[in-house]
Amino acid sequence: MRYALALDLVDDAQRIFDYEKAHEKIWPEVRDHLLSHGVTGMEIYRLGTRLFMVMEVDPAVYDAQAMALASASNPAIVRWETLMWTYQVPTPWTPAGEKWVAMQRIFDLASQA
């Protein structure tokens, strides 16, 4: 299963640089947390201050709510997310209290046959 999500960055060149630097080699605890919750692949792309994440998950393992609960009780993940929020801001369309927001797929070439 694939998810496409969006989030924005603070409009500051140094913070954007630092955010990208932090993602060159994420903390092992963050990687292990993602993998243990069924995330099988993840890529983040940037255009200006807009971030776009593609997340591949194993639907037999992945449960967004369970992962969120586990994240909130994992000190390493809480530290990582606290650090990431120094670089990130919600998009104009992000509901209050949320972070990465699922995007709506509007085109699929495979369905054009």
Side-chain angles (χ1 to χ4, degrees), residues 33-34 36-39 60-74 77:
H33 177 75
L34 292 168
S36 72
H37 286 278
V39 178
V61 178
Y62 180 74
D63 178 322
Q65 246 182 331
M67 186 171 161
L69 287 171
S71 297
S73 64
N74 182 320
I77 303 305

Side-chain angles (χ1 to χ4, degrees), residues 7-11 16 19 46 48-51 87-89:
L7 181 65
D8 285 345
L9 290 172
V10 173
D11 192 4
I16 291 170
Y19 180 82
R46 180 178 70 82
T49 58
R50 179 69 33 91
L51 297 174
Y87 310 122
Q88 300 165 330
V89 294

Side-chain angles (χ1 to χ4, degrees), residues 1-40:
M1 181 173 271
R2 180 183 310 132
Y3 293 91
L5 304 120
L7 181 65
D8 285 345
L9 290 172
V10 173
D11 192 4
D12 177 270
Q14 184 62 53
R15 286 197 192 175
I16 291 170
F17 175 83
D18 293 344
Y19 180 82
E20 289 186 0
K21 198 79 171 149
H23 283 80
E24 287 177 7
K25 183 81 171 159
I26 63 170
W27 301 350
E29 301 92 340
V30 173
R31 180 202 60 231
D32 294 347
H33 177 75
L34 292 168
L35 293 172
S36 72
H37 286 278
V39 178
T40 59

Side-chain angles (χ1 to χ4, degrees), residues 39-104:
V39 178
T40 59
M42 181 179 283
E43 297 176 339
I44 299 175
Y45 299 87
R46 180 178 70 82
L47 177 64
T49 58
R50 179 69 33 91
L51 297 174
F52 168 65
M53 177 194 299
V54 178
M55 184 171 69
E56 301 277 347
V57 303
D58 177 348
V61 178
Y62 180 74
D63 178 322
Q65 246 182 331
M67 186 171 161
L69 287 171
S71 297
S73 64
N74 182 320
I77 303 305
V78 171
R79 282 194 317 277
W80 175 263
E81 291 301 334
T82 300
L83 174 61
M84 291 303 104
W85 264 127
T86 67
Y87 310 122
Q88 300 165 330
V89 294
T91 72
W93 310 279
T94 302
E98 293 189 29
K99 190 172 185 173
W100 287 95
V101 177
M103 299 175 77
Q104 179 182 353

